[in-house]
């Protein structure tokens, strides 16, 4: 299994708008995606009010690639969120039991 950690830094002043996108579109989309075993969405805390994240566990690299394409190491952004995001990072790990 593959653990994928996706982190987003939202543009200053866009926190509320991104939060609505995150809760209403991104979380339901990821929870309904084939190949995802678990989704752990992370909302901002007071010490990092512009940071959102997802920890996703995928059943296989093949499933992950089926969702994002061969270039799975590049963070893919929904066009609806592109203007809201200042920076993004993505990391992958083999899940250890």
């Amino acid at each position: 299994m593959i653990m994928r950690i996706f982190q987003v830094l939202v543009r200053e002043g866009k926190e509320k708008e991104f939060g609505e996108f995150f809760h209403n579109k991104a979380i339901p989309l990821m929870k309904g995606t084939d190949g995802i075993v678990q989704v752990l969405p992370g909302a901002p805390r007071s010490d990092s009010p512009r940071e959102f994240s997802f920890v996703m566990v995928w059943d296989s690299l093949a499933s992950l690639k089926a969702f994002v394409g061969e270039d799975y190491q590049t963070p893919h952004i929904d066009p609806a969120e592109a203007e809201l995001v200042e920076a993004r990072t993505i990391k992958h790990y083999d899940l250890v039991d």
Side-chain angles (χ1 to χ4, degrees):
M1 285 194 277
I2 305 292
M3 182 172 60
R4 178 177 171 99
I5 301 175
F6 180 72
Q7 296 175 298
V8 171
L9 178 64
V10 177
R11 293 185 192 282
E12 195 167 338
K14 299 291 186 176
E15 299 88 350
K16 184 177 190 289
E17 193 174 348
F18 185 86
E20 291 170 2
F21 168 83
F22 185 72
H23 289 283
N24 298 327
K25 186 170 181 183
I27 293 171
L29 171 69
M30 297 316 300
K31 286 186 173 182
T33 299
D34 288 339
I36 287 191
V37 175
Q38 187 172 17
V39 176
L40 301 169
R45 296 179 44 86
S46 60
D47 60 336
S48 57
R50 295 171 41 213
E51 296 178 17
F52 291 77
S53 68
F54 272 112
V55 176
M56 296 162 273
V57 177
W58 290 80
D59 62 8
S60 67
L61 183 56
S63 292
L64 173 56
K65 286 182 176 181
F67 180 68
V68 299
E70 286 297 315
D71 186 15
Y72 71 93
Q73 299 212 36
T74 299
H76 296 272
I77 297 299
D78 185 296
E81 68 180 299
E83 68 181 39
L84 307 175
V85 174
E86 182 175 313
R88 57 195 66 82
T89 60
I90 192 95
K91 299 280 186 176
H92 298 90
Y93 303 90
D94 289 328
L95 191 65
V96 178
D97 291 328

